[in-house]
């Protein structure tokens, strides 16, 4: 079998540009596949740093926006009081993204960096300096192709992900590395990938905990130009939590730290493109989770699906679904079982004006020990609708108008809340 090819390599680009575009697509495809497998494994994988898209050697983008949010507290008035936050606020942000690509005949080296500043008019506690860096390489070796990516990120945890009412802010710092090798001949291909990720949280005194995740995936697949690609996959991941667990020390019946959590899984992945309008991938896994607190051991399914449909030359729909497990940021839970669904529609009114609308649903379950911290979130369902208008101004600038509505219901009523957000922004490519 021939390794995945990029449609750009058959276009009218010069030979060197075709090689560059093909290597860029190769690196992105392999890392996206690895990320999907980690998600299918239940999300306990190490996390995949960003791989640049596009065929520019140097790409610089910037953005700035101003937003109004009716509730930035992540809960009702009681949570707002405990977190010492004012619900309504204006948020100002500015950021940039720089991508560098260095191609050769069979290799591609890249650097991708993002930085963003966020400032709140009334809640300076939530001010954030977020940034992410990733470096990597992609290379063809005979019938094989390989990628290696390392990443670092520093970001503020979104307020709706902070599951303890007494804390308003947590800074998560992550180091990660991922490697992937795919080899194929005729119609059979084999893919082996692995990753490691170390996550550190700043709010350890309020119930957060550090973790390290090691993951590995093996896939054997069959490629058919008519029927698509079918793969049999095996996955493994192991989470190790930090020992500095202050909340567990309050309960003598519990261990002093969260025991390691291991997950094994086998599954199938199917990918196919149907004509020029429909394409998608779907995966189903059977997972077994061991370790952690005693009553968190379980068997279950992991599912991912991604579907894109171009109804007309102006209209496109995308559907993404994920059911899996993630490492928990809290010191009293073994892992987080999550379900995410997102539907998005895009309509190009003209070459300069684009409308977008989306609907999403997220469910999270923090599985582990009994509730220890006061007002700790255990289960939640969030539903969101959003819409935006993108207006191109000239060749490089775009004005973005956005509105969204979020509703969350939780097992602890203080975490029930609604929020409306409107924003106006300007983005540019240089």
């Amino acid at each position: 079998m021939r390794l995945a090819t990029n449609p750009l390599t058959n276009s009218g680009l010069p030979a060197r540009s075709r090689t560059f575009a093909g290597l860029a697509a190769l690196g992105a495809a392999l890392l996206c596949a690895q990320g999907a497998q980690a998600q299918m494994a239940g999300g306990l994988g190490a996390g995949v740093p960003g791989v640049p898209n596009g065929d520019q050697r140097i790409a610089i983008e910037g953005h700035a926006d101003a937003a109004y949010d009716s509730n930035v507290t992540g809960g009702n008035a009681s949570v707002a009081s405990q977190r010492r936050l004012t619900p309504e606020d204006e948020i100002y942000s500015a950021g940039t993204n720089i991508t560098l690509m260095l191609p050769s005949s069979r290799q591609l080296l890249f650097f991708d960096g993002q930085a963003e500043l966020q400032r709140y008019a009334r809640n300076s506690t939530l001010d954030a300096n977020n940034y992410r860096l990733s470096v990597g390489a992609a290379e063809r070796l005979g019938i094989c192709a390989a990628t290696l990516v390392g990443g670092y990120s520093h970001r503020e945890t979104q307020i709706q992900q902070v599951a303890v009412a007494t804390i308003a802010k947590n800074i998560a710092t992550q180091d990660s590395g991922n490697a992937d090798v795919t080899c194929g001949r005729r119609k059979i291909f084999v893919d082996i990938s692995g990753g490691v990720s170390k996550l550190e949280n700043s709010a350890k005194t309020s119930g957060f905990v550090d973790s390290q995740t090691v993951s590995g995936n093996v896939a054997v697949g069959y490629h058919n130009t008519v029927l698509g690609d079918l793969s049999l996959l095996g996955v493994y991941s192991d989470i190790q939590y930090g020992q500095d667990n202050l909340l567990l020390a309050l309960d003598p019946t519990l261990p002093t730290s969260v025991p390691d959590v291991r997950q094994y899984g086998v599954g199938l992945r199917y990918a196919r493109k149907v004509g020029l309008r429909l394409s998608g991938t779907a995966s189903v896994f059977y997972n077994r989770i061991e370790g952690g607190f005693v009553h968190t051991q379980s068997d279950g399914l992991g599912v991912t699906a991604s579907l894109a449909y171009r109804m007309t030359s102006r209209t496109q729909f995308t559907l993404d679904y994920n059911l899996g497990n993630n490492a928990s940021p809290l010191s009293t839970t073994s892992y987080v079982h999550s379900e995410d669904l997102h539907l998005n529609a895009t309509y190009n009114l003209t070459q300069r004006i684009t409308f977008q609308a989306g609907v999403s649903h997220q469910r999270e379950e923090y599985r582990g020990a009994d509730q220890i911290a006061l007002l700790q979130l255990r289960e939640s369902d969030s539903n969101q609708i959003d819409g935006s208008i993108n207006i191109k101004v000239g060749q490089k600038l775009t004005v973005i108008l956005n509105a969204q509505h979020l509703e969350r219901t939780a097992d602890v009523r203080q975490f029930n809340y609604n929020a409306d957000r409107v924003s106006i922004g300007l983005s540019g490519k240089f």
Side-chain angles (χ1 to χ4, degrees), residues 197-421:
S197 174
K198 183 178 181 181
L199 181 65
E200 296 182 355
N201 292 294
S202 64
K204 296 185 183 65
T205 57
S206 300
F208 279 68
V209 67
D210 298 339
S211 64
Q212 177 174 293
T213 303
V214 178
S215 64
N217 309 306
V218 177
V220 178
Y222 173 79
H223 170 77
N224 186 286
T225 55
V226 177
L227 300 178
D229 293 352
L230 180 64
S231 306
L232 175 65
L233 304 103
V235 296
Y236 170 79
S237 58
D238 178 82
I239 303 174
Q240 298 178 356
Y241 288 100
Q243 301 298 312
D244 46 352
N245 200 324
L246 300 180
L247 286 184
L248 290 182
L250 301 176
D251 190 338
T253 66
L254 295 174
T256 56
S257 63
V258 180
D260 291 359
V261 178
R262 296 172 299 279
Q263 182 171 244
Y264 312 84
V266 294
L268 293 174
R269 179 175 186 267
Y270 179 69
R272 187 186 179 192
K273 183 176 182 180
V274 182
L276 298 177
R277 293 190 174 186
L278 180 64
S279 63
T281 63
S283 307
V284 179
F285 269 81
Y286 177 80
N287 298 315
R288 178 170 179 79
I289 297 177
E290 297 179 349
F293 295 106
V294 175
H295 57 283
T296 61
Q297 300 180 15
S298 64
D299 298 337
L301 290 178
V303 180
T304 60
S306 180
L307 186 66
Y309 175 64
R310 182 175 294 277
M311 187 172 69
T312 68
S313 60
R314 295 186 176 187
T315 307
Q316 179 173 327
F317 297 92
T318 59
L319 174 67
D320 294 286
Y321 177 78
N322 180 68
L323 175 66
N325 309 295
N326 301 286
S328 173
L330 296 183
S331 59
T332 58
T333 54
S334 299
Y335 64 94
V336 181
H337 183 72
S338 62
E339 180 181 30
D340 297 277
L341 173 66
H342 183 72
L343 175 64
N344 186 75
T346 302
Y347 178 72
N348 299 314
L349 179 64
T350 68
Q351 291 183 343
R352 293 186 175 275
I353 301 176
T354 300
F355 295 95
Q356 290 184 324
V359 179
S360 61
H361 169 78
Q362 181 182 59
R363 177 173 177 78
E364 290 188 329
E365 300 176 8
Y366 291 80
R367 296 183 175 180
D370 295 330
Q371 181 171 304
I372 297 176
L374 182 63
L375 291 184
Q376 177 179 315
L377 181 68
R378 307 295 295 187
E379 298 180 4
S380 68
D381 287 276
S382 300
N383 296 290
Q384 178 176 299
I385 57 174
D386 59 81
S388 66
I389 303 174
N390 296 354
I391 305 172
K392 289 185 178 181
V393 181
Q395 296 297 318
K396 297 182 177 182
L397 296 179
T398 302
V399 176
I400 304 171
L401 307 175
N402 180 269
Q404 64 183 46
H405 175 74
L406 172 68
E407 294 185 0
R408 182 171 76 176
T409 57
D411 61 324
V412 179
R413 63 179 179 83
Q414 286 85 347
F415 285 101
N416 296 340
Y417 78 100
N418 299 331
D420 295 298
R421 183 185 179 102

Side-chain angles (χ1 to χ4, degrees), residues 143-209:
I143 64 170
C144 297
T147 57
L148 180 65
V149 181
Y152 173 81
S153 68
H154 173 97
R155 60 179 176 80
E156 180 178 354
T157 304
Q158 292 184 340
I159 193 69
Q160 60 264 36
Q161 303 297 324
V162 178
V164 179
T166 55
I167 179 175
K169 186 173 185 177
N170 175 67
I171 301 299
T173 303
Q174 184 177 35
D175 300 289
S176 60
N178 294 272
D180 185 289
V181 177
T182 300
C183 298
R185 183 181 293 275
R186 298 182 185 276
K187 295 183 179 296
I188 304 299
F189 62 92
V190 178
D191 179 85
I192 300 175
S193 60
V196 60
S197 174
K198 183 178 181 181
L199 181 65
E200 296 182 355
N201 292 294
S202 64
K204 296 185 183 65
T205 57
S206 300
F208 279 68
V209 67

Side-chain angles (χ1 to χ4, degrees), residues 2-26:
R2 217 171 34 164
L3 291 175
T5 56
N6 177 11
L8 289 176
T9 60
N10 296 321
S11 70
L13 294 174
R16 188 170 179 81
S17 296
R18 292 199 303 266
T19 300
F20 177 35
L23 284 169
L26 168 67

